Amino acid sequence: MIALTFDDGPKVSVTDRILDSLQANGGRATFFMVGSNVNANAGIIKRMVAQGCEVANHTHDHKYISKLSADGIISQIGSTNQKIEAICGVSPVLMRHPGGNRGMSAIMWSIDTRDWQHRNAQRTIDTVLSQVRDGDIILMHDIYSTSADAAVVLIPELTARGYQLVTVSELAAYRGGA
């Protein structure tokens, strides 16, 4: 059991391809969304929820939480949760700090594909397949076409290798907590 996670989106041209592959392979994922991307992508967010994927928070403007005041943190997280809930009826229960900078409890990852840095689908595929283990949380980004290229190869391959693709919350529930 592993959790694929995607940060920074949604971006329809990328996220749609990922959702197609998840749907074709019976998988789910968690999407950590930037609030400023939410309103323009209502349809894809509704599709995430309809497919059983998890919608999650990645701040409104991709700001580092550690550099914000308490009011700034509340605004960044609260406005994103409100936007997501208004679109799909589900309020996120998870958040991930941009850049992994932490100031409070958050969902991290065990495999960082660094897909945002190299933007090479084969390198992302190789990173995941060489490191993946039961219980992993894999970090990718659903704003780069090369990440979708990697995901549409990884999703059926991971499924064929016997991995069940679940949301972060499902993984935590099955493992006894986050």
Side-chain angles (χ1 to χ4, degrees), residues 1-3 110 132-138 163-164 171 175:
M1 186 177 292
I2 58 172
S110 51
V132 68
R133 302 285 180 269
D134 184 40
D136 277 335
I137 296 175
I138 300 167
Y163 289 102
Q164 183 180 3
L171 184 64
R175 302 293 177 183

Side-chain angles (χ1 to χ4, degrees), residues 28-40:
R28 291 175 299 286
T30 301
F31 292 86
F32 289 91
M33 291 179 269
V34 174
S36 60
N37 294 337
V38 168
N39 288 341

